[in-house]
Amino acid sequence: VEPEAVERCLESQPGVVEAAVIVEDTDDGPRLVAFVVGEVESAALAEALARSLPGWSRPERIERLDALPRAPRGKVDRAALSRGPGSPR
């Protein structure tokens, strides 16, 4: 799965300003987690993705953020996303 393809799909949805998708390793194997910025409900996004993407490429969880964390050079800080909100840097 290419997280960037899922990000593009999310960003094409009304109300989504920006999106980032990471692969989280779990005991059950890898899973996709999406983070979105914008005025949108996670349930509505999940429904839209169900119409656009095959099941294996849909995020297991969608979290809404006020802003995506950024590294000093301005890129999305995916490591910060994987640590979760409130985690130490």
Side-chain angles (χ1 to χ4, degrees):
V1 174
E2 294 294 327
E4 294 82 11
V6 180
E7 289 170 2
R8 284 191 301 274
C9 188
L10 285 164
E11 289 173 344
S12 74
Q13 302 304 312
V16 176
V17 175
E18 190 174 27
V21 176
I22 62 169
V23 178
E24 214 174 57
D25 289 319
T26 68
D27 292 338
D28 296 327
R31 65 181 183 162
L32 294 177
V33 179
F35 299 88
V36 297
V37 176
E39 295 298 319
V40 64
E41 295 293 324
S42 295
L45 279 179
E47 288 176 22
L49 293 180
R51 292 188 299 270
S52 311
L53 297 171
W56 55 267
S57 68
R58 282 181 250 156
E60 190 168 308
R61 191 173 79 239
I62 300 173
E63 295 187 23
R64 198 176 74 71
L65 302 174
D66 291 333
L68 294 177
R70 300 282 176 186
R73 293 189 178 222
K75 289 187 175 185
V76 173
D77 186 346
R78 293 179 189 278
L81 289 172
S82 66
R83 287 191 297 265
S87 297
R89 293 194 174 251

